[in-house]
Amino acid sequence: MIRIVLAALAITVAVPAHASGRWDAISSGRLYDRLLTPQLNPSHSFVDDRALQLYRKDLREGRIKPPNRKHRHHLFDFRRN
């Protein structure tokens, strides 16, 4: 019983830490994600060549729209009204 509780506790601590690291990697340009990159990295500046290649591939194939510089809606910008 104690092992199960300890395992559950370890998982609940590890999952948010992993997600936080992923968000940091996306916002710094080390990773590319179709949904989160426009929100976390609106300038689309990539540090990693692989992330840039995946972004350009999605643009060519029409999976994502080209960035619209006029209208920027930030999902995670809580300062906006």
Side-chain angles (χ1 to χ4, degrees):
M1 180 70 176
I2 293 176
R3 286 184 184 176
I4 294 172
V5 171
L6 289 176
L9 182 61
I11 290 172
T12 57
V13 169
V15 170
H18 176 70
S20 173
R22 181 171 170 84
W23 282 18
D24 181 49
I26 291 171
S27 65
S28 66
R30 293 188 315 256
L31 283 179
Y32 167 71
D33 185 85
R34 246 181 245 150
L35 300 174
L36 294 176
T37 295
Q39 303 301 323
L40 297 174
N41 186 2
S43 64
H44 294 89
S45 59
F46 296 104
V47 176
D48 187 32
D49 292 333
R50 178 73 177 144
L52 183 61
Q53 290 172 355
L54 289 173
Y55 173 69
R56 288 181 179 165
K57 180 182 175 191
D58 280 350
L59 275 176
R60 276 193 310 270
E61 294 176 357
R63 291 183 181 157
I64 59 171
K65 293 181 181 179
N68 188 355
R69 301 292 179 194
K70 295 179 184 173
H71 302 284
R72 288 191 177 174
H73 300 286
H74 300 286
L75 182 64
F76 298 106
D77 189 2
F78 297 112
R79 293 174 290 181
R80 298 183 76 182
N81 292 334

